[in-house]
Amino acid sequence: MKEMEPRTKQLLIQLEQRLLTEHRDLSALSAEEQFRIIADKVADHPEAITPVPQQGNNELLQKLKRAKERGGLLTVKFGIDPTGPEMHLGHAVPILMLRRFQQMGYKIQFVVGDFTARIGDPSGRLTGRPILTEQQIRENMRNYFEEAGLILDLNKKGRTETFYNSEWLGEMRMQDWLPLLQRVSASQMFQREDFQKRLEGGSSISMAELMYALFMAYDSVALKPDIEIGGIDQFLNLYWCRELMRFEGMKSEIFIVTNLLAGTSGETDSEGRFIKMGKSKKNYISVTENPREMYGKVMSIPDEVMWIWFRELTEISSEELKELKTEVEKGEIHPMDAKRMLARVVVGTFNHYDRNTIEKAERAFNQMFGKAKQLIPEDIKVITVTGGSRLVDILSKATGESKSNLKRMLASSRRGGIRILVENEYIPLTMEELSNKTVEGELIIKVGKRRYYRIQTAF
Amino acid sequence: MKEMEPRTKQLLIQLEQRLLTEHRDLSALSAEEQFRIIADKVADHPEAITPVPQQGNNELLQKLKRAKERGGLLTVKFGIDPTGPEMHLGHAVPILMLRRFQQMGYKIQFVVGDFTARIGDPSGRLTGRPILTEQQIRENMRNYFEEAGLILDLNKKGRTETFYNSEWLGEMRMQDWLPLLQRVSASQMFQREDFQKRLEGGSSISMAELMYALFMAYDSVALKPDIEIGGIDQFLNLYWCRELMRFEGMKSEIFIVTNLLAGTSGETDSEGRFIKMGKSKKNYISVTENPREMYGKVMSIPDEVMWIWFRELTEISSEELKELKTEVEKGEIHPMDAKRMLARVVVGTFNHYDRNTIEKAERAFNQMFGKAKQLIPEDIKVITVTGGSRLVDILSKATGESKSNLKRMLASSRRGGIRILVENEYIPLTMEELSNKTVEGELIIKVGKRRYYRIQTAF
């Protein structure tokens, strides 16, 4: 690897400096410039902004223009259901979009869906969710405000409003709902691809789930935002926001959807698409993850995922991203250096861009990484196995030793035993582990005095 | 026709006397006798009483027994939506069932569905209903209480309660609904035969209609009846009454369904079943119809319908009905005499069994009928045509006269003109009527001085 050219080094430093600036003031930008910043980060979908901006008919741009004329009178809504104990980086993507509007000086409406959380958004799910108690929801909620506060300025006077949607949904009487329920077609609510899949899979859909989109959409009727932000999985819900506003004789909101974030593992589904970050997939990083862990986890993602995260989790522009990628491809920048920058920016984003925190996280990672380097020989033998394989079978095959011989080796400290790398230390494997442990993820095993194996499960 | 035998005459007189007794007191009957009276009048359906009474496990009978032990503590609910301006005899069938329970000394709950009327019960309908204004519903409601009061004693102290279901449905907050909505399967609500037919027919179903059954069922949660009465078209709604009560940890009500009443015309559908009485079919008699008209309309029904009406609209028992039918079949009783008795009982039922009213109605009918007899020759030529045929074409064919000749005859009073029987008088047909009038139902036409035609549209 050659030394980085001064020009390239300069590029990286400048870029990082920009990405690590929390309190960007975008309010002085023209409506056109603001529009470009927004449009640069929306989901890869032709209708990511709806109504779709067209030459000569760009509703979003018009709104931004009018808002600027009137001193920033534009409200942007974002809602999130506190269905889990914590937010992860995937949740942060639309919230970062919301932050852009905040940085442009517009008013944001942050809605915690404590009512809708009692149902759970069925969008794209193959089974129903467990029903949360109000106690669980209350606990989650506390965290959600705190966690959103890591990204947004939730105390910005007159420019930020926070809501619980039970305020209007819970108290609304059925007779007030009736006119809306009469206008909405049940078959339209029902004939959704995700619902049909669930039914085919033998999972039932509750009436509450069927109505979820209407409940969420009613938030928009209650708050009358100009714009709403959501993940692309919210497409149908956001469609209903527009519909319900129309039914109520209001101007329908514009909605903007962001991509779902690829998970840490870089695993793909049967169609080759990255599996999205999700609590249940164990491929997530919490926004409150401690900086050292967060840094390390970002460093562990595959390069392909790195480019996605650059786009979704930082303020890098398409042009800058393209340039960075080109430099890496040309070999001017080592991918590891790009990833280190990403890790610093991500850690910064969720830690108020505190330089000290970022540097400490990086140092801790370097130490561990350096130590790990010493512990694992470069020519370690890599063995890929299918998940669930038993360790004794894997090692027997890898070493050519019989299982009984392996067991004898394990018991003999003179022969070096059989050890497993745990937190920078090789500790002896127990007989029980050797016989019954199955492999998920990655293990480093040392057999005897010299033989090292990196055992990985295939995706 | 031979003279009626004294025994037969006696039978008719006794039967009629019983059927014309309004204030039957059935409270002294044993639970078994009460059960038999109820079971004798339920719909022709194996689950007309649900849970189905079985040898050794007859929940309805058990309830009646326990109620008698405890001095009549048993509540029977019936609900009706004020979706039309008036009740007809078809509506009276389940209300007569309710009256039986009242006569047995049990408590009745009469629910006017002012909330549910805003939706309209979608059961068995091929298209949505027009949405009623609250004003329309209020007007209908006034009539419904009055009309039900013709059959039931709505003022019976401590034994009759009347309700509007907006009392609980309208005020209920969405957060109170949520636990129920979570327990109910949307697909179960959706996959109903009538809904599927509507969708196939291109008619959409609103969310409000989808939820109709739940709203109605909630009435039972609010009122906790032991028993509910409904028309057989209410089967699914009543199923949900039981389900919702179960969800709420209550003992599910027993439901009892009655047949839908055949309409006046005796028309049948494509499967040979009598078309049910309904406002839109113009085959109905309002419960507030004036006695003379009501009597005449009952007299106009086909004999087959007469037997149905005897069962559904009077307190005749199965045995009595069978005996009456046998006597008619043997020629011991003229069908007209049986029908006259039915007409008297029906007129009586909706006029507080006032003898004077019944007799006046009968006399008026006799006069009209006698007069009509004089006006229409016995050997009148009967012509059956398809609906929508034009009079001039029909008459030209029937008389063998050319159309232009018919027009000349119409203009010539010397030749007797062409006349139509209207209210016991032959009045001249106009040229316009001759040329363009189409036939629906029945017309009596006199052409020239001697030719009479009864023109009927085929069903």
Side-chain angles (χ1 to χ4, degrees):
Chain A
M1 193 77 195
K2 61 184 180 184
E3 259 299 291
M4 223 183 270
E5 298 219 5
R7 187 192 61 82
T8 312
K9 206 160 191 169
Q10 192 57 27
L11 174 87
L12 270 187
I13 289 168
Q14 277 177 6
L15 179 59
E16 180 166 343
Q17 207 155 30
R18 203 175 76 62
L19 301 188
L20 279 174
T21 308
E22 178 180 27
H23 298 294
R24 293 190 304 171
D25 185 348
L26 307 177
S27 65
L29 298 183
S30 71
E32 285 81 1
E33 286 167 318
Q34 291 179 343
F35 174 79
R36 267 195 300 275
I37 288 175
I38 299 303
D40 198 34
K41 293 288 188 188
V42 302
D44 307 315
H45 189 285
E47 295 168 61
I49 300 173
T50 293
V52 178
Q54 285 164 332
Q55 198 79 40
N57 185 14
N58 184 336
E59 200 177 316
L60 175 56
L61 179 59
Q62 293 311 318
K63 277 223 162 149
L64 292 169
K65 275 186 180 162
R66 269 202 305 276
K68 287 191 75 70
E69 284 162 16
R70 293 175 195 170
L73 281 175
L74 186 89
T75 53
V76 186
K77 173 193 160 203
F78 171 76
I80 187 166
D81 287 353
T83 45
E86 55 190 359
M87 285 192 205
H88 55 60
L89 299 192
H91 294 120
V93 177
I95 300 178
L96 286 167
M97 181 63 92
L98 194 63
R99 184 175 72 171
R100 286 175 201 118
F101 281 98
Q102 192 170 50
Q103 289 168 338
M104 290 169 188
Y106 303 120
K107 186 166 154 186
I108 64 167
Q109 299 174 321
F110 187 81
V111 184
V112 170
D114 61 334
F115 183 87
T116 35
R118 289 178 62 187
I119 304 169
D121 187 358
S123 296
R125 292 183 66 92
L126 289 176
T127 54
R129 295 167 184 267
I131 290 172
L132 300 177
T133 64
E134 293 189 45
Q135 173 65 14
Q136 283 171 308
I137 292 171
R138 245 193 319 275
E139 279 167 22
N140 293 343
M141 268 188 322
R142 226 192 343 262
N143 298 339
Y144 274 46
F145 272 123
E146 262 173 43
E147 289 162 18
L150 295 175
I151 310 172
L152 298 167
D153 182 353
L154 289 181
N155 302 313
K156 204 166 183 179
K157 280 221 178 58
R159 292 287 162 181
T160 305
E161 291 179 314
T162 54
F163 302 94
Y164 300 98
N165 67 6
S166 65
E167 287 170 27
W168 48 86
L169 292 179
E171 298 300 321
M172 226 176 128
R173 293 168 312 165
M174 195 47 92
Q175 64 189 51
D176 305 320
W177 275 101
L178 206 51
L180 268 179
L181 294 175
Q182 285 175 320
R183 294 199 63 168
V184 174
S185 152
S187 27
Q188 204 184 343
M189 297 297 297
F190 198 71
Q191 277 146 8
R192 290 165 49 164
E193 206 185 320
D194 46 6
F195 282 176
Q196 297 312 310
K197 269 193 194 152
R198 261 177 75 173
L199 292 175
E200 282 160 24
S203 168
S204 82
I205 291 148
S206 75
M207 282 298 294
E209 287 179 293
L210 184 71
M211 294 176 73
Y212 179 92
L214 299 182
F215 292 137
M216 180 195 136
Y218 198 85
D219 292 354
S220 289
V221 172
L223 296 178
K224 305 176 189 57
D226 295 294
I227 296 171
E228 172 144 6
I229 311 295
I232 196 168
D233 55 345
Q234 294 298 300
F235 220 98
L236 204 58
N237 292 336
L238 294 168
Y239 163 84
W240 281 109
C241 289
R242 286 176 54 82
E243 281 293 279
L244 253 58
M245 291 177 90
R246 190 170 64 80
F247 289 167
E248 295 281 309
M250 300 173 183
K251 172 93 185 122
S252 292
E253 66 187 26
I254 296 172
F255 70 73
I256 297 173
V257 294
T258 53
N259 281 323
L260 299 184
L261 193 66
T264 50
S265 69
E267 283 182 79
T268 53
D269 64 16
S270 60
E271 292 171 54
R273 292 172 305 208
F274 286 115
I275 291 175
K276 304 311 172 196
M277 183 172 286
K279 185 87 188 162
S280 59
K281 311 278 168 38
K282 299 201 170 122
N283 62 355
Y284 71 100
I285 304 178
S286 297
V287 298
T288 54
E289 181 64 278
N290 85 60
R292 184 188 123 170
E293 288 291 322
M294 188 182 277
Y295 190 102
K297 285 180 179 174
V298 175
M299 290 308 292
S300 79
I301 64 174
D303 290 356
E304 278 176 287
V305 172
M306 171 178 74
W307 300 123
I308 294 172
W309 285 29
F310 257 116
R311 177 178 194 270
E312 306 300 345
L313 292 174
T314 82
E315 296 303 333
I316 199 169
S317 71
S318 302
E319 290 79 23
E320 290 167 332
L321 182 58
K322 204 171 151 192
E323 199 178 345
L324 182 62
K325 229 171 150 178
T326 308
E327 296 295 313
V328 168
E329 279 161 5
K330 285 195 305 190
E332 297 289 337
I333 297 175
H334 193 284
M336 193 65 110
D337 288 326
K339 207 176 283 179
R340 279 179 180 280
M341 176 163 76
L342 176 65
R344 284 192 296 270
V345 173
V346 168
V347 169
T349 300
F350 301 101
N351 292 281
H352 303 292
Y353 298 93
D354 182 67
R355 300 278 159 169
N356 199 26
T357 305
I358 298 170
E359 277 162 27
K360 267 175 68 183
E362 187 158 57
R363 266 203 308 278
F365 173 80
N366 287 344
Q367 276 171 12
M368 202 179 66
F369 189 72
K371 210 167 179 184
K373 247 183 174 167
Q374 294 162 6
L375 286 167
I376 305 169
E378 292 223 357
D379 60 349
I380 186 170
K381 200 169 169 190
V382 178
I383 301 165
T384 304
V385 300
T386 53
S389 307
R390 289 193 316 156
L391 205 49
V392 67
D393 297 322
I394 299 165
L395 289 176
S396 171
K397 206 169 160 195
T399 57
E401 308 280 356
S402 71
K403 291 180 198 176
S404 47
N405 202 21
L406 281 174
K407 285 175 188 171
R408 273 191 295 275
M409 286 175 74
L410 177 137
S412 159
S413 59
R414 190 183 52 81
R415 294 170 69 184
I418 301 181
R419 291 166 178 267
I420 181 166
L421 185 63
V422 177
E423 305 252 352
N424 298 325
E425 196 178 345
Y426 284 99
I427 61 171
L429 213 58
T430 65
M431 189 63 80
E432 163 65 18
E433 284 172 331
L434 176 64
S435 306
N436 297 319
K437 192 176 175 67
T438 57
V439 179
E440 296 295 344
E442 187 182 88
L443 295 179
I444 308 288
I445 302 281
K446 183 181 172 195
V447 178
K449 289 184 174 153
R450 273 176 305 271
R451 288 182 282 181
Y452 292 85
Y453 301 94
R454 184 191 296 274
I455 305 171
Q456 300 171 328
T457 47
F459 294 138
Chain B
M1 194 75 194
K2 62 184 179 181
E3 258 300 291
M4 222 183 270
E5 297 219 5
R7 188 192 60 82
T8 312
K9 205 160 192 170
Q10 193 56 27
L11 174 88
L12 270 187
I13 290 168
Q14 278 176 6
L15 179 59
E16 179 166 343
Q17 207 156 29
R18 202 174 77 61
L19 300 188
L20 279 174
T21 308
E22 178 180 25
H23 297 294
R24 293 191 303 171
D25 185 346
L26 307 178
S27 64
L29 298 183
S30 71
E32 285 81 1
E33 286 167 318
Q34 291 179 343
F35 174 78
R36 267 195 299 276
I37 287 175
I38 299 303
D40 198 34
K41 293 289 188 187
V42 302
D44 307 315
H45 189 285
E47 295 168 61
I49 300 173
T50 293
V52 178
Q54 285 164 333
Q55 199 79 40
N57 185 14
N58 184 336
E59 199 176 317
L60 175 56
L61 179 59
Q62 293 311 319
K63 277 226 162 147
L64 292 169
K65 275 185 181 163
R66 270 201 305 277
K68 287 191 76 70
E69 284 162 17
R70 293 175 194 170
L73 281 175
L74 186 89
T75 53
V76 186
K77 173 193 159 203
F78 171 76
I80 187 167
D81 287 353
T83 45
E86 55 190 358
M87 284 192 205
H88 55 59
L89 299 192
H91 295 120
V93 177
I95 300 179
L96 286 167
M97 181 63 92
L98 194 63
R99 184 175 72 172
R100 286 175 201 118
F101 281 97
Q102 192 171 49
Q103 289 167 339
M104 290 170 188
Y106 303 120
K107 188 166 154 185
I108 64 168
Q109 299 174 320
F110 187 82
V111 183
V112 170
D114 61 333
F115 183 87
T116 35
R118 288 177 62 187
I119 304 169
D121 187 359
S123 297
R125 293 182 65 93
L126 290 176
T127 54
R129 295 166 184 266
I131 289 171
L132 300 177
T133 64
E134 293 189 44
Q135 173 65 14
Q136 283 171 308
I137 292 171
R138 246 195 317 277
E139 279 167 22
N140 293 343
M141 268 189 321
R142 227 193 340 263
N143 298 338
Y144 274 45
F145 273 123
E146 262 172 43
E147 289 163 17
L150 295 174
I151 310 172
L152 299 167
D153 182 352
L154 289 181
N155 302 313
K156 204 167 183 179
K157 280 220 177 59
R159 293 286 161 182
T160 306
E161 291 180 313
T162 55
F163 302 94
Y164 300 98
N165 67 6
S166 65
E167 287 170 28
W168 48 86
L169 292 178
E171 298 301 321
M172 227 176 127
R173 294 169 310 167
M174 195 48 93
Q175 64 189 52
D176 305 320
W177 275 101
L178 206 50
L180 268 178
L181 294 175
Q182 285 175 319
R183 295 200 62 168
V184 174
S185 152
S187 27
Q188 204 184 343
M189 297 296 298
F190 198 70
Q191 277 146 8
R192 290 164 49 165
E193 205 186 321
D194 46 5
F195 282 176
Q196 297 312 311
K197 269 194 194 153
R198 260 176 75 172
L199 291 175
E200 283 161 22
S203 167
S204 82
I205 291 148
S206 75
M207 282 299 293
E209 287 179 294
L210 184 71
M211 295 177 73
Y212 179 92
L214 299 182
F215 291 137
M216 181 194 136
Y218 199 84
D219 293 353
S220 289
V221 172
L223 296 178
K224 305 176 189 56
D226 296 294
I227 297 171
E228 172 144 6
I229 311 295
I232 197 168
D233 55 344
Q234 294 298 299
F235 220 99
L236 204 58
N237 292 336
L238 294 168
Y239 163 84
W240 281 109
C241 289
R242 285 176 55 83
E243 281 293 280
L244 253 59
M245 291 177 89
R246 190 170 64 80
F247 289 167
E248 295 281 308
M250 300 174 184
K251 173 92 186 123
S252 292
E253 66 187 26
I254 296 172
F255 70 72
I256 297 173
V257 294
T258 53
N259 281 323
L260 300 184
L261 193 65
T264 51
S265 69
E267 282 182 80
T268 53
D269 64 16
S270 60
E271 292 172 53
R273 291 172 306 207
F274 286 115
I275 290 175
K276 304 311 172 196
M277 184 173 285
K279 186 86 188 163
S280 59
K281 311 278 168 40
K282 297 198 172 128
N283 63 355
Y284 71 100
I285 304 177
S286 297
V287 298
T288 53
E289 181 65 278
N290 86 60
R292 184 188 123 170
E293 288 291 322
M294 187 182 276
Y295 189 102
K297 285 180 179 174
V298 175
M299 290 308 292
S300 79
I301 64 174
D303 289 356
E304 278 176 287
V305 173
M306 171 177 75
W307 301 122
I308 294 173
W309 284 28
F310 256 115
R311 177 178 193 270
E312 306 299 345
L313 292 173
T314 81
E315 296 303 331
I316 199 169
S317 71
S318 302
E319 290 80 23
E320 290 167 331
L321 182 58
K322 203 171 152 193
E323 199 177 346
L324 181 62
K325 230 170 149 178
T326 308
E327 296 294 313
V328 168
E329 278 161 6
K330 285 196 304 190
E332 297 289 338
I333 297 174
H334 193 284
M336 193 65 111
D337 288 327
K339 206 176 283 177
R340 279 179 180 280
M341 177 164 76
L342 175 66
R344 284 192 297 270
V345 174
V346 169
V347 169
T349 300
F350 301 101
N351 292 280
H352 303 292
Y353 299 93
D354 182 68
R355 300 279 159 168
N356 198 26
T357 305
I358 299 170
E359 276 162 28
K360 266 174 70 183
E362 187 157 58
R363 266 203 308 279
F365 172 80
N366 287 344
Q367 275 172 12
M368 203 180 65
F369 189 72
K371 210 166 178 184
K373 246 184 175 167
Q374 293 163 6
L375 286 166
I376 305 169
E378 292 224 356
D379 60 349
I380 186 169
K381 201 169 169 191
V382 178
I383 301 164
T384 304
V385 299
T386 53
S389 307
R390 289 193 316 156
L391 205 49
V392 66
D393 298 321
I394 298 165
L395 289 176
S396 171
K397 204 168 161 196
T399 58
E401 308 280 356
S402 72
K403 292 180 197 175
S404 48
N405 201 21
L406 281 174
K407 285 175 187 169
R408 273 191 295 276
M409 286 174 73
L410 178 138
S412 159
S413 59
R414 190 182 53 80
R415 293 169 70 182
I418 302 180
R419 290 163 179 270
I420 180 166
L421 185 62
V422 178
E423 305 252 352
N424 298 324
E425 196 178 345
Y426 284 100
I427 61 170
L429 212 60
T430 65
M431 189 63 80
E432 163 65 17
E433 284 172 331
L434 177 64
S435 305
N436 297 320
K437 192 177 176 66
T438 57
V439 179
E440 296 296 345
E442 187 182 87
L443 294 179
I444 308 289
I445 302 281
K446 183 181 172 193
V447 178
K449 288 183 175 153
R450 272 176 308 271
R451 287 182 282 181
Y452 291 87
Y453 302 94
R454 182 190 297 273
I455 305 171
Q456 301 171 329
T457 47
F459 293 138

